[in-house]
Amino acid sequence: MWIEEFGPVFIQEPDDVIFPLDSDEKKVVMHCEARGNPPPTYSWYINGTEVDAEADYRYSFIDGNLIITNASEVTDYGKYQCKAENSFGTVLSRDGTLQFAYLGAFSGKARGGVSVREGQGVVLMCTPPPHSPEIIYSWVFNEFPSFVAEDSRRFISQDTGNLYISKVQPSDVGSYICLVKNTVTNARVLSPPTPLTLKTDGVMGEYEPKIEVHFPTSVLAAKGVTVRLECFALGNPVPTITWRKINGNIPKKARLRKSQAVLEIPNIQLEDSGTYECKAENPRGGTAFKGHLQVYTLPQWVRMINDTQMDSGEKLQWECKATGRPRPTYRWLRNGLPLTSQADSGMYQCVAENKYGAVYSNAELKILASAPVFIPNPIRVIATLGKDVSLECKPRASPKPRIAWKRGDRRIQPNKRYSSALETFIFISPSTDEGNYVCRAENQLGSAELTAILSFVLPEAMRVELTPARVEVTVGESVVLSCKATHDTSLDVAFQWFFNQKPINFQQDGGHFEYIQTVRVRVRSSTVDLMIRSILLKHAGKYGCRAQTSADTVFTEAELLVRGPPGPPGVVIVEEITDTTATLSWTRGLDNHSPISTYNVQARSPFSLGWQTVKTDPVTGDMESAIAVELNPWVEYEFRVVATNAIGTGDPSAPSRAVRTKEAVPSVAPANVSGGNGRRHELVISWEPVSEEFQNGEGFGYIVAFRANGTRGWKEKMVTSADSTTYKYRDETFPPLTPFEVKVGVYNNKGDGPFSSVVVIHSAEGEPREAPSDVRAYSISSSEIRVTWKPPNPEPGRPRGYEVLQILCLCVTVKNETSMVLTGLEGNSLYRITVKAFNSIGHGPATAAVTAKTRKTPPAQPPANLIWIQEGNNVSLSWDPVKAKDNESDVIGYMVLLKQEGRGHNQVTRTINPSTVLSLPEGGTYIIEVRALSEGGDGAVSSQIRLVTSSGTHKATDF
């Protein structure tokens, strides 16, 4: 069987890849696959340079794919392009970018503290480590996992990672740690802590806003992405952020996040371009920032080039056209190289590109050039007596040949009985016209002749029967149509199947249609079948069978009806909208030969996970309207309708236009009301904020109500920010750990909503009132003193740690440890030490001072005159004793250190005598050092002995 040969056509081209550097796989695969006959071969280019797999073992090819082992960002980052080629030509793929995902570590260098006045604004720098691609920033307050909550006063920029506090409060004092997370690998790292303290020289007065965070003056964004514009200001009082679009309206789809510090525009389109302004205001004044948003698009094809065959010498005109912003430019390639003016056979590519990307349109051009050839030759034509007959002359040839007919030696000229066209000779057929006819075809490459042998018969008329003539089936079933032709036995019959008057392409539709060759041949009849498998709705229609002999052609049709799920209903219209209902109407879709039984109404909003069924009264198949109920107020909805019949559920209608339900009083109270901690005389109340889905209208906020246990009447405070999660009440008249009944309610412009259930929350504890007890201090070396104590009575303030004070330093414990080793002290010195407890509220009283004296310093004289004798694997070692001076600690023994070069193993031997025996493993080079030991610590180290395993007696020498 002859199989068409053709040039390469891409099935899969390289995609953009982000590869994690810490992946266990350690291999990157860039995909490329093309079909072609002969099968294509492949090569790859990295940043325009061809990959040489033989020169670099890290590269290998599997089929068309490029495999990179031990990929490195330094050598492998960039753009990859695949080239596929066979004997018909070469094509280049689109570019695929390989990036690497990684997250480095923060510098371990300690960060300096930041000290500001109360009421002043502050910026804490994150300074993230090297990373790729994007990272997400958050901040830890004091200890993990206590995260900084963002509100109108605090903001974390996802551009820089910096933490901004517009107005510092005493509760902000503490330690801040920047946490970054890689969006691809999910790896997380923590920065060193940045301490934030308050100055004691007064409180910062009110001042006008200063915008510290803003988006660039020119923002470029790709069509379809989500754009996030940041704007945050420092100021006292805390500034309010507002947004507007100059000479236009902010898109309805836009959302304000993080107390309006972020304007988020999803699925950005060209019409969203423009100048956006954020404004920060407080009672002291205001300031604004403007930036221009420009949307770009990658090139997209409007008109592409197609495979073309041409005769040699003909003129070719190809046109390709693409849209894009900026407007694309074009270039042409032939077999992967820039096009010259000459057009020859090969693979052609039109490349449309702008600075954001490129698209490729591919086509094969075949230039035909051949002398005429007739297949088959000769041909026999049996015609019906009395009917017109045509003889065809269609050679394979390029360019097109000149055609001439003759009978015998006489050239046939057109007349009333004969007419000739380029490829066909037609004449009226008396029996005397039987005989041999010769067609001669000739072009500049050669010539050929075809002999047509014509004879006439007087056959019976052919009859064709197609069964069944009408059939009903259900989607998914199969059916066989049978076409039977009764004809003259001397004639061959050819069949062709049609669907809605068009010939069936069995190669293209082979998944559903199968042409079954003649299955029954009897005298004077032939039968062929059409099998239609796994029927779809689109297969409904009229099927025709055409039977043809040289004498006759007969066509007949049968009808196929397909029952299936309903088609999509027509346009959904929102007739009326209230706070919780929507009245909808639609038009009926196709029932597909099975009556519609019910309709189902679905809705989606910015808060739903896709489309969800909404509650309605039952909607039967004869209805075209419904009322959706139990919707949430002040939420934007889209609606669609789905029809169902006995066969199944059909495709949904197109969505309705987006509509917003009316406002209503809030109906959902905050959840998880809790609190506690805080500073002295503070009642801290926190809650889980109510989702925007349940805020039910504009002007949403919280009502915080509280009262001391056993008292009457509630204090109520308004919290106007919908994103708020905390309220702090300060009153110096109530004692620490006072129990309060607390509830949190909601409100909006329509009125007050429900309160949460009442919970009991204690006010902040006080500072420790008592000093630790049983303080003891004793020396453990010439530079260290250990201090121990017992904790004080925890009421009313529970200690979070302790401060140990001596003349040289203020040392702080972590958590509730009750011991500490003071280091870096001077030898043979007396120290006075006090201890006091502290918590987040303040410090308790100090203990009475205790004293401790450090021990004398260790001997400064190192062991000297080292002598060693080696016998096999044993080394006998001796040295002169070390004598301590009067101001040094007495020698209590010696420490011998044996190290083997090239290995991390060390062997330590302690002895009270100035000699010892060491055991050496077989082979190796060894280093020996000796120190004196004393109560004051380790003495000075001796000179080193370096030896290779061998026997003999040597005196130690310096090394």
Side-chain angles (χ1 to χ4, degrees):
M1 182 175 63
W2 178 77
I3 300 177
E4 180 185 5
E5 294 183 327
F6 58 93
V9 178
F10 282 115
I11 300 173
Q12 185 176 23
E13 297 181 70
D15 290 317
D16 292 340
V17 174
I18 301 178
F19 182 74
L21 281 178
D22 59 357
S23 170
D24 294 334
E25 178 62 26
K26 302 302 181 187
K27 288 184 180 179
V28 180
V29 180
M30 302 298 291
H31 293 283
C32 180
E33 182 182 359
R35 59 185 178 88
N37 187 20
T41 58
Y42 301 89
S43 53
W44 281 84
Y45 293 85
I46 303 178
N47 298 324
T49 302
E50 186 171 1
V51 173
D52 188 349
E54 294 183 358
D56 193 335
Y57 74 94
R58 298 183 311 112
Y59 299 114
S60 59
F61 300 113
I62 298 180
D63 297 328
N65 301 328
L66 172 63
I67 314 297
I68 309 173
T69 305
N70 297 325
S72 161
E73 184 194 22
V74 175
T75 57
D76 299 315
Y77 172 87
K79 292 186 176 181
Y80 286 69
Q81 192 171 33
C82 172
K83 182 170 77 173
E85 56 186 323
N86 66 9
S87 56
F88 286 90
T90 301
V91 287
L92 295 176
S93 73
R94 64 168 180 253
D95 289 336
T97 301
L98 173 59
Q99 300 181 66
F100 292 85
Y102 60 90
L103 179 60
F106 279 96
S107 168
K109 184 179 179 181
R111 297 191 172 189
V114 178
S115 184
V116 295
R117 292 176 180 171
E118 181 178 348
Q120 186 178 352
V122 71
V123 181
L124 301 183
M125 313 296 284
C126 178
T127 314
H131 61 272
S132 177
E134 295 81 10
I135 53 179
I136 298 173
Y137 298 91
S138 55
W139 282 78
V140 177
F141 181 51
N142 285 335
E143 58 185 25
F144 189 85
S146 176
F147 287 94
V148 174
E150 295 180 82
D151 51 30
S152 60
R153 195 173 60 85
R154 293 170 293 190
F155 177 72
I156 299 170
S157 170
Q158 293 303 317
D159 291 333
T160 65
N162 298 338
L163 169 61
Y164 299 82
I165 304 177
S166 63
K167 175 186 172 185
V168 173
Q169 299 177 352
S171 60
D172 296 322
V173 170
S175 176
Y176 290 82
I177 297 173
C178 182
L179 184 151
V180 297
K181 177 182 177 182
N182 191 291
T183 55
V184 174
T185 67
N186 290 325
R188 301 190 301 179
V189 292
L190 297 165
S191 73
T194 300
L196 177 63
T197 59
L198 285 182
K199 294 180 178 179
T200 58
D201 58 352
V203 177
M204 186 77 171
E206 293 186 354
Y207 63 96
E208 65 182 9
K210 178 184 177 184
I211 294 179
E212 287 284 345
V213 182
H214 58 74
F215 51 99
T217 56
S218 180
V219 179
L220 276 174
K223 178 182 176 183
V225 305
T226 296
V227 170
R228 189 176 182 274
L229 305 179
E230 295 184 343
C231 185
F232 190 76
L234 308 185
N236 185 5
V238 174
T240 299
I241 305 294
T242 56
W243 294 83
R244 71 186 181 108
K245 185 180 182 185
I246 308 300
N247 298 326
N249 297 320
I250 289 179
K252 291 184 177 180
K253 61 190 174 184
R255 295 287 182 267
L256 291 172
R257 309 290 189 195
K258 298 187 177 183
S259 300
Q260 305 195 137
V262 174
L263 176 65
E264 189 175 272
I265 311 174
N267 189 26
I268 196 162
Q269 301 296 313
L270 295 175
E271 60 267 22
D272 298 327
S273 298
T275 301
Y276 289 79
E277 178 190 76
C278 75
K279 190 172 185 180
E281 296 177 290
N282 70 5
R284 304 292 296 182
T287 183
F289 177 82
K290 296 177 183 177
H292 186 73
L293 173 62
Q294 181 178 349
V295 181
Y296 69 83
T297 61
L298 300 176
Q300 290 184 312
W301 287 118
V302 175
R303 185 178 298 113
M304 303 172 70
I305 58 177
N306 297 309
D307 292 346
T308 301
Q309 292 187 4
M310 296 177 56
D311 289 333
S312 177
E314 285 188 332
K315 181 180 179 180
L316 170 66
Q317 181 172 332
W318 261 335
E319 181 183 6
C320 61
K321 185 177 181 181
T323 61
R325 176 181 285 190
R327 182 178 297 173
T329 58
Y330 301 88
R331 57 189 174 93
W332 288 84
L333 304 175
R334 175 180 174 270
N335 292 333
L337 299 175
L339 181 65
T340 61
S341 58
Q342 183 177 0
D344 295 321
S345 294
M347 300 302 300
Y348 286 77
Q349 294 179 284
C350 176
V351 186
E353 55 193 337
N354 59 22
K355 62 181 179 180
Y356 301 108
V359 289
Y360 289 72
S361 176
N362 306 340
E364 181 178 4
L365 174 63
K366 288 184 177 179
I367 304 297
L368 305 178
S370 63
V373 175
F374 290 100
I375 300 176
N377 188 13
I379 60 172
R380 180 175 294 277
V381 179
I382 301 176
T384 303
L385 193 63
K387 291 189 176 181
D388 292 350
V389 66
S390 62
L391 303 180
E392 290 188 335
C393 180
K394 292 184 177 180
R396 290 183 185 175
S398 180
K400 290 183 178 181
R402 299 179 296 278
I403 300 295
W405 285 92
K406 64 180 180 178
R407 184 178 184 186
D409 295 330
R410 183 171 57 88
R411 184 182 178 116
I412 299 177
Q413 299 294 335
N415 55 33
K416 293 182 179 179
R417 295 184 62 244
Y418 303 98
S419 63
S420 66
L422 183 63
E423 299 176 337
T424 306
F425 173 52
I426 305 170
F427 58 95
I428 301 172
S429 55
S431 58
T432 55
D433 290 328
E434 286 187 332
N436 293 349
Y437 292 79
V438 175
C439 169
R440 180 178 175 82
E442 183 177 3
N443 64 15
Q444 59 264 42
L445 299 177
S447 63
E449 291 185 345
L450 167 71
T451 299
I453 304 170
L454 176 63
S455 59
F456 293 94
V457 297
L458 186 60
E460 298 180 7
M462 180 171 59
R463 300 190 307 275
V464 176
E465 180 183 8
L466 180 55
T467 57
R470 189 177 187 276
V471 61
E472 293 187 11
V473 294
T474 301
V475 166
E477 293 180 346
S478 300
V479 71
V480 175
L481 300 179
S482 185
C483 182
K484 177 183 177 182
T486 303
H487 56 90
D488 191 287
T489 57
S490 64
L491 301 177
D492 294 328
V493 63
F495 293 91
Q496 188 174 14
W497 287 97
F498 293 80
F499 176 46
N500 291 334
Q501 306 295 319
K502 294 183 180 179
I504 295 175
N505 185 331
F506 287 92
Q507 289 184 342
Q508 179 179 338
D509 301 319
H512 294 280
F513 296 113
E514 181 181 353
Y515 179 84
I516 303 176
Q517 297 289 347
T518 303
V519 294
R520 296 184 301 275
V521 180
R522 302 198 305 263
V523 176
R524 301 181 61 203
S525 71
S526 300
T527 304
V528 294
D529 294 334
L530 173 65
M531 167 74 79
I532 312 173
R533 291 190 176 91
S534 303
I535 287 175
L536 304 175
L537 287 172
K538 67 178 183 179
H539 294 141
K542 291 187 176 182
Y543 288 82
C545 173
R546 184 176 72 182
Q548 183 175 10
T549 67
S550 58
D552 209 353
T553 299
V554 179
F555 181 81
T556 185
E557 286 185 315
E559 185 175 11
L560 177 66
L561 299 178
V562 180
R563 295 184 298 267
V571 177
V572 177
I573 298 174
V574 182
E575 304 281 359
E576 183 180 355
I577 194 80
T578 71
D579 56 345
T580 59
T581 67
T583 303
L584 311 172
S585 65
W586 60 89
T587 55
R588 295 174 60 84
L590 297 174
D591 64 7
N592 291 324
H593 307 293
S594 178
I596 296 172
S597 55
T598 58
Y599 288 101
N600 183 267
V601 177
Q602 299 175 341
R604 70 177 174 187
S605 73
F607 313 104
S608 64
L609 296 175
W611 291 94
Q612 305 289 330
T613 299
V614 295
K615 187 174 181 180
T616 63
D617 289 334
V619 187
T620 59
D622 58 350
M623 299 171 63
E624 295 183 14
S625 65
I627 299 177
V629 298
E630 298 183 8
L631 305 176
N632 290 327
W634 199 237
V635 171
E636 193 174 76
Y637 287 96
E638 293 175 283
F639 298 93
R640 72 181 188 184
V641 179
V642 180
T644 301
N645 62 13
I647 310 301
T649 298
D651 293 331
S653 68
S656 71
R657 65 179 178 89
V659 294
R660 186 184 286 274
T661 49
K662 304 296 185 184
E663 293 181 276
V665 173
S667 58
V668 176
N672 297 327
V673 177
S674 60
N677 297 322
R679 303 184 67 80
R680 183 180 2 183
H681 303 304
E682 278 186 348
L683 172 65
V684 179
I685 303 167
S686 61
W687 60 90
E688 188 175 301
V690 174
S691 165
E692 185 181 348
E693 182 180 7
F694 303 108
Q695 293 176 6
N696 290 9
E698 291 186 313
F700 181 85
Y702 300 96
I703 305 172
V704 181
F706 52 93
R707 63 186 179 190
N709 275 12
T711 62
R712 299 175 63 84
W714 294 87
K715 288 184 183 295
E716 291 189 351
K717 298 294 181 180
M718 308 288 284
V719 179
T720 59
S721 172
D723 296 329
S724 295
T725 60
T726 304
Y727 174 76
K728 294 180 181 180
Y729 174 70
R730 185 174 180 83
D731 188 339
E732 298 188 2
T733 63
F734 58 76
L737 298 175
T738 299
F740 282 82
E741 291 182 297
V742 176
K743 60 183 179 180
V744 181
V746 290
Y747 73 92
N748 63 16
N749 290 346
K750 283 291 186 178
D752 295 349
F755 277 90
S756 67
S757 56
V758 176
V759 298
V760 175
I761 299 173
H762 289 79
S763 64
E765 61 184 353
E767 70 276 8
R769 296 293 179 86
E770 298 181 6
S773 60
D774 197 17
V775 179
R776 299 182 182 184
Y778 53 93
S779 174
I780 57 176
S781 73
S782 62
S783 62
E784 297 174 312
I785 293 177
R786 179 177 292 279
V787 184
T788 65
W789 61 89
K790 291 182 180 178
N793 187 336
E795 297 297 338
R798 293 183 293 273
R800 289 185 57 192
Y802 298 90
E803 287 185 356
V804 180
L805 177 64
Q806 52 92 0
I807 194 169
L808 294 179
C809 77
L810 172 64
C811 303
V812 181
T813 66
V814 179
K815 299 184 178 177
N816 283 323
E817 297 174 355
T818 57
S819 68
M820 172 179 283
V821 175
L822 304 180
T823 61
L825 307 179
E826 295 183 2
N828 199 25
S829 300
L830 184 67
Y831 289 90
R832 299 178 73 253
I833 300 166
T834 60
V835 182
K836 57 183 176 182
F838 70 88
N839 60 17
S840 60
I841 306 303
H843 293 79
T847 65
V850 296
T851 60
K853 187 176 183 179
T854 54
R855 296 176 180 178
K856 294 180 180 180
T857 58
Q861 179 66 34
N865 197 24
L866 274 64
I867 304 296
W868 59 276
I869 300 174
Q870 181 178 352
E871 295 178 352
N873 292 339
N874 295 326
V875 175
S876 298
L877 180 67
S878 63
W879 55 90
D880 292 343
V882 176
K883 293 183 179 181
K885 297 178 181 179
D886 291 341
N887 64 344
E888 295 177 341
S889 295
D890 292 335
V891 174
I892 59 175
Y894 300 89
M895 179 178 69
V896 181
L897 176 64
L898 175 67
K899 299 187 291 186
Q900 185 175 3
E901 284 190 352
R903 299 190 181 181
H905 176 70
N906 294 336
Q907 177 181 325
V908 177
T909 302
R910 286 179 170 81
T911 176
I912 61 174
N913 300 313
S915 64
T916 189
V917 177
L918 303 176
S919 178
L920 304 181
E922 291 269 348
T925 301
Y926 297 89
I927 303 295
I928 300 175
E929 297 175 347
V930 183
R931 294 174 184 266
L933 301 177
S934 73
E935 290 184 347
D938 298 342
V941 65
S942 70
S943 59
Q944 294 181 339
I945 294 175
R946 182 177 185 273
L947 58 88
V948 179
T949 303
S950 62
S951 61
T953 303
H954 301 271
K955 184 177 179 178
T957 57
D958 289 343
F959 172 69

